[in-house]
Amino acid sequence: MSPEMKKEETVKLISAEGFEFVVDKQAAMVSQTIRNMLTSPGNFSETQLGEVTFPEISTPILEKICQYFYWHLQFASGKETEFHIEPEITLELMMAANYLHT
Amino acid sequence: MTVLRSREVPPPSPLPRTPTKRTPRKNSPPLPASADALGPPTPSRADAPSTGGPRTAAANALGFRAPSPVAPRRSSRLASRSAEAAAVESGASGMGEEGKEGRGRSGKRGWDASGAGWSASRSEEGEEGGGIVGFDLNLPAVESPSGTAKKRRERGKAVDPTVSSESISEEPTRMEVIEIESDGAQEEVDMVASRGRRYSSSEKGKGIMVEDDAPSFSEKGKGIMVEDDAPSFSEKGKGIMAEDDAPSVAGARFYEFLDGDRSPVHVPERDSGEEDNWAEGGTIIDDEKGMMVLVQGKWLTMGDLGVGWVPKTEHYHVERDPAVRRKESDRRKAKELAPKFAFFKPEEEDDSEEGDSSGSPKDDPADWPGPFSTAVKIINDREKRLESRQLRPGSALFKSSELRIEWVPSSDPERGCLKRLVPSLRDLAVRALSENAAEIESLDGVPNELRHQLSGCICKRRTMDEHVLDLFVRGSPTEIRVPDCSWASEEEFERIFVGANTDQLAVLQLDLCGRCLPDYILSSTLARSPNKLPSLTTVSLRGAYRLSDDGLDSLASAAPLLSSIDLGECSLITSTGITSLVEKLNPVLRELYLDDCHIDAMFILPALMNLKKLKVLSVAGIESVTNQFVHHLVSVHGASLKELVFTGCKRLTTASVKAIGEKCLQLRSLDLRDLVRLDDYALVHLANGCTSFQKLMLRHNPFRLKLTTLHLSDKAVAALLEASGGSLTELSLNNIREVSNFTAQAIAIRCSLTLRMLDLSFCRKTTDEVELSRSLPDVTLRFVIVTKTWFLLCTVVRA
């Protein structure tokens, strides 16, 4: 995660309640779904605006997912830690992760 | 089925026992030599090993051997146990520390140490006993195990003077190995004991055979002990007994025996029976061992085992009827059971098609027109190119006659080694959920794929129980997959499924449900009424060992649309049941898995041939599958068959594969593992016929070389892959000896784009130089199994 984030390298993920999470593009690409959305030529709005909305994913879940993105990058670069998941959100998180292919 | 030679008797470590034995026992004055010697357990015995009080009591008594009237011995095993306890005790008392230590150790060393101790104790006992020199067969064979133990022990001790005590002392320790806990079930105990002993004794017997003449007793002992089998002592005892004419044989005879060059007992098994027998010199009918040891009115045809002293025992008479009778009945039982364990050697001549017409050995398969020959040509060309390339520069370096492919590690950073696979969030969540399965409240809205992954994970963690399964069954699920139902009891299963809404259920997997799914439960829950499972198309009941033909029938009535059935390892299902099932589901059945069922393939063949839509058939492990079966099957269904599994159908030969290659052109998945009668022509036929394999499983196929060309098998496999491997996703070449460079090249070049699973275990001819991913930009190999391959295969690349 570079300290200075150029605007082009971030994407905005919007939860069902309207919360906006700004994350690195590289982090967001951990999700195959988001990767496809952002790179495929079809979805113009997502590609151009750099914003993706998820009406089915609630805010705490989306927050956890963003945390996972960064954890994933960290893990792949060698630092292996444990990713803890609170039991209450596990079920929804599982379904959201399934949807996001992550 | 493997031949069940003996039940594994876990050798009890002497250690746990030794502590108890280590309680130093002061030499207490000898107990009166009478049956009372076996008296009440003394406190020091209280902590004796699990064998219990009486044993210890006996042990006590044993130390001071008192001659006692011969009593019928009930169980050599128990006797030995107590004997050994006694021995231990006495040893402890008599010997010093070293004795105990010796005993503790299970090696020969132990023997020595304890042996020394033994001698010491023995001598003093001898004094006490007032001359029960050596072998006192007069010990009562009392009911209490301790009594017998006592006897044994004494006997063992008696041996001391002439033989190194090591063996003796060792025995007691050994005897502890016998783990029979219950005094009650004599028979079972005997069985178990005997089995355990059997094993050891036979081993021992062999061991002793080697050192037959006049080895020191300790040597013999060693031979026996090697097995670390408890009954050794009893074995010996038996041997000793055998020597004796009558239970009251004097010690002198025993010594004579011992000194002689007869190997001691290798009495195979049947401890209890044997013991009894020897006491009276009766015919020992070794039931279980019956196969091994023919008791023909002699003591034991040790001749079978090569034991020399067999004739000696002829004078033994059956004196004790009950024991003999028991032996007889046991023997009868064993005879009945034996066929089950008999090893079946398929007749070599068998019905086939040994007219392996494909095998005109003169005819080089590489010359036949077709994809195979094309592939072989390609391979040969490749080889020549490589050779020429290599011959140019450093031909001097060419050491082996095999083709060497230069391998250089890729310097491309992107194509690095296997990227560490980061666990996906989904997997992490599933894992977390499965750990807390009890806390899940509901699985509403969870898609099927996730459900299956979740249930699989939960089953693996063994956290599946009634509550959790209920979550999966609740609502109106379309798919329920439970890979492991072994935890469930009948009541639980009934409770869960009796109220289940099965209208939409399309896929049901209840593997390992044997315990909870007998016919009546099935009929009361899932197959309650005809058409109860209207949408069910796929069912898997692997391991439903209580399901019989009737249950199957009710299932078929309840699920008329069933198109895929997996009945692996349902042992109660018979050919008749399968036939009627198949007939019932004639118009719809597509997939049938009958792994390891006890059915006759030819019997069900007509029904199978009548099926309209058969696509998948698995008859793995069914011995009655023959070439004829395959011929008929593929002649009818060949065109539509997509998957065939013939793992372990040992009677199949190349002719079957030829038929498959000719008729099953759409075959996607073929499993020919463990078919040892295939040769290279089989590969030829496959290459020429089936062109689009997705899954090819070969294991342990010898692919004998019939031609003189070296490396043909390797080339043949390579050619097969070349010709048909374009869409291969799973490939297993487990233990195909000849697989080497050509195959590797073929895999690399031809299969790399699609291959997901590769198994090259036991292919010892593959080498480091084999490079699978050399020229391929994007290869993703998920699983590479390289067990026992002596050299690493460089594989994969890119994620």
Side-chain angles (χ1 to χ4, degrees), chain B residues 529-571:
Chain B
S529 51
N531 225 17
K532 177 95 169 73
L533 300 161
S535 330
L536 195 65
T537 56
T538 306
V539 75
S540 168
L541 294 170
R542 290 189 78 93
Y545 53 77
R546 292 173 78 186
L547 193 68
S548 76
D549 296 345
D550 295 334
L552 212 54
D553 201 55
S554 61
L555 181 65
S557 322
L561 292 184
L562 214 47
S563 65
S564 165
I565 304 187
D566 188 339
L567 294 169
E569 299 181 10
C570 292
S571 344

Side-chain angles (χ1 to χ4, degrees), chain B residues 712-767:
Chain B
L712 177 66
S713 283
D714 187 23
K715 273 197 189 166
V717 175
L720 171 63
L721 293 175
E722 194 69 33
S724 316
S727 45
L728 214 50
T729 55
E730 287 184 46
L731 177 63
S732 167
L733 296 172
N734 191 322
N735 206 345
I736 310 289
R737 301 251 176 78
E738 297 297 322
V739 164
S740 165
N741 295 330
F742 293 123
T743 313
Q745 264 188 312
I747 296 175
I749 293 173
R750 193 84 165 94
C751 312
S752 51
L753 283 176
T754 50
L755 204 58
R756 290 282 171 273
M757 194 209 79
L758 174 64
D759 179 358
L760 288 169
S761 314
F762 297 97
C763 294
R764 308 219 193 254
K765 291 198 177 173
T766 50
T767 64

Side-chain angles (χ1 to χ4, degrees), chain B residues 310-508:
Chain B
V310 173
K312 257 276 178 152
T313 63
E314 262 158 281
H315 47 265
Y316 253 136
H317 306 297
V318 180
E319 279 165 23
R320 223 177 328 169
D321 274 348
V324 174
R325 264 189 267 121
R326 188 154 48 91
K327 288 261 149 208
E328 299 268 6
S329 72
D330 285 341
R331 185 182 203 185
R332 256 179 274 121
K333 252 187 275 159
K335 275 190 178 157
E336 284 161 37
L337 287 174
K340 273 210 200 139
F341 300 120
F343 179 73
F344 170 66
K345 274 200 163 57
E347 321 79 54
E348 281 314 321
E349 32 74 31
D350 89 81
D351 42 316
S352 356
E353 29 280 292
E354 274 330 333
D356 219 352
S357 52
S358 60
S360 62
K362 291 47 167 214
D363 198 358
D364 189 336
D367 293 342
W368 301 347
F372 185 82
S373 53
T374 323
V376 172
K377 283 195 196 79
I378 296 176
I379 291 169
N380 287 336
D381 289 341
R382 238 183 255 153
E383 179 184 11
K384 285 195 198 80
R385 261 182 282 132
L386 202 52
E387 267 176 4
S388 61
R389 227 186 299 153
Q390 281 182 327
L391 279 173
R392 258 185 284 115
S395 53
L397 305 169
F398 215 93
K399 292 188 194 80
S400 69
S401 59
E402 302 212 359
L403 218 46
R404 284 178 71 243
I405 304 171
E406 287 307 318
W407 176 74
V408 178
S410 161
S411 52
D412 183 354
E414 211 192 65
R415 289 179 56 182
C417 48
L418 266 173
K419 282 222 193 101
R420 190 178 297 112
L421 278 180
V422 189
S424 75
L425 185 57
R426 173 176 146 169
D427 293 343
L428 288 174
V430 167
R431 229 181 284 168
L433 261 184
S434 63
E435 273 162 22
N436 301 318
E439 328 244 318
I440 307 176
E441 286 174 5
S442 150
L443 289 174
D444 283 340
V446 179
N448 280 330
E449 203 186 283
L450 279 180
R451 282 179 184 234
H452 302 329
Q453 188 179 356
L454 191 56
S455 80
C457 205
I458 292 179
C459 284
K460 273 203 197 128
R461 280 180 192 274
R462 323 295 281 173
T463 49
M464 182 64 96
D465 63 8
E466 192 185 343
H467 163 74
V468 177
L469 185 54
D470 195 54
L471 293 173
F472 284 92
V473 173
R474 233 188 270 169
S476 189
T478 49
E479 298 187 11
I480 301 177
R481 283 193 182 269
V482 189
D484 182 356
C485 296
S486 52
W487 50 272
S489 73
E490 291 178 21
E491 294 81 22
E492 287 174 344
F493 188 90
E494 195 164 12
R495 277 201 294 268
I496 296 171
F497 281 95
V498 80
N501 185 335
T502 53
D503 291 339
Q504 313 240 351
L505 195 60
V507 171
L508 179 62

Side-chain angles (χ1 to χ4, degrees), chain B residues 667-681:
Chain B
L667 203 61
R668 297 263 171 279
S669 161
L670 183 60
D671 190 328
L672 296 174
R673 291 185 281 185
D674 298 332
L675 297 186
V676 292
R677 299 169 83 175
L678 299 188
D679 60 25
D680 282 349
Y681 297 102

